[in-house]
Each structure stands twice: as structure tokens, then as C-alpha cells.
Amino acid sequence: MKISKFHLLLSFFFISATIFAQNSENLVEEINISKTSTFINEAYSSIEAKNILNDTNHFNSIKKNLKRLRIVEATEAHVSQFQKLSSISKSKYPYLDNFNPSEFNPLLFNFDYSFSNKKIAYQVDGTKYYIVILDYKK
């Protein structure tokens, strides 16, 4: 029985390491936090954007959430298991014809950042990219 538990535990560690290594190799980029003001101005009306930019707590909350996002590239089979990004778009899906990870504005989407204990992923429609919301770390 001890050998079975040991092998199970060992297998778990190897699988976890493999998954982590794949995610690390496939990491395309983090969201550029220096663009937060630009993202806000693109995603909100001028009055809403001005209010957010003048509210330090709200602005910092947005930055904190953006730091949890990653853009990852994977196989089509892997990506197809996730919910499509277009399904949470605030208005017309802006990346239908062209997706550039360095220009991605997360504020154009209704991401649910409330899940603090698990990762959530969305497929960028028609691409091998997916957006991951990492679990919250204090």
C-alpha cells in the first residue's frame, strides 16, 4: 500500500511539473501594466474613464487584476476546451480579424476576477491563444 501511495504521489508531482513547464514554455506575455490608462480610456466613456483615473483605489484595483492575466499560446486542441473570449466581450468582439497579444485590452471584456482560488481561461476566437486569469495571490 505504501508503494502505491508513493507512486501516486510521484506521478502527481511529475504531471504537475510537466503542466507547469508547458505553461512556462508557452507563455507569450503578461499584460503591459503601463498601458492601464490607455486601456481605461479605450474601454470606458470619457466621464467613466476620468472618474476611474482620479480614483486611486479603483485604478489600483484594475491594475491588480490586470497583473493576474497571461496570454498563452497552445495547440488548437488544447485551446478549444475553453470558453470563447467573444462570449464575454462588452460590445462587438474587437479581435475577430486580428489578434495581437501586445495590443490586447482586457478591459474590453467582462472577466470575472472574483475567483480567487483557481485559474480560469478563455480561448481567443480563431487563434491558438488563450487568456488565463491566475489565482489571486496576496
Side-chain angles (χ1 to χ4, degrees), residues 86-131:
S86 61
S87 69
I88 60 164
S89 185
K90 288 183 178 179
S91 58
K92 184 180 176 190
Y93 181 65
Y95 301 109
L96 191 56
D97 296 324
N98 184 25
F99 179 75
N100 180 347
S102 63
E103 297 299 319
F104 176 67
N105 183 348
L107 300 183
L108 298 175
F109 301 90
N110 289 315
F111 287 115
D112 186 355
Y113 295 99
S114 64
F115 294 102
S116 60
N117 59 349
K118 66 177 184 175
K119 294 180 187 177
I120 299 173
Y122 296 90
Q123 174 192 8
V124 178
D125 302 51
T127 72
K128 294 180 182 180
Y129 294 105
Y130 63 102
I131 310 300

Side-chain angles (χ1 to χ4, degrees), residues 15 63 111:
I15 292 170
K63 282 177 60 173
F111 287 115

Side-chain angles (χ1 to χ4, degrees), residues 70-89:
R70 301 291 183 272
I71 302 173
V72 182
E73 187 174 6
T75 65
E76 287 184 36
H78 179 81
V79 171
S80 67
Q81 67 183 317
F82 303 122
Q83 179 180 351
K84 291 192 182 295
L85 187 60
S86 61
S87 69
I88 60 164
S89 185

Side-chain angles (χ1 to χ4, degrees), residues 47-66:
I47 294 171
E48 290 173 312
K50 183 179 177 182
N51 289 337
I52 293 169
L53 294 171
N54 289 329
D55 182 345
T56 305
N57 289 334
H58 194 173
F59 183 79
N60 287 336
S61 175
I62 289 173
K63 282 177 60 173
K64 189 176 184 178
N65 285 333
L66 294 179

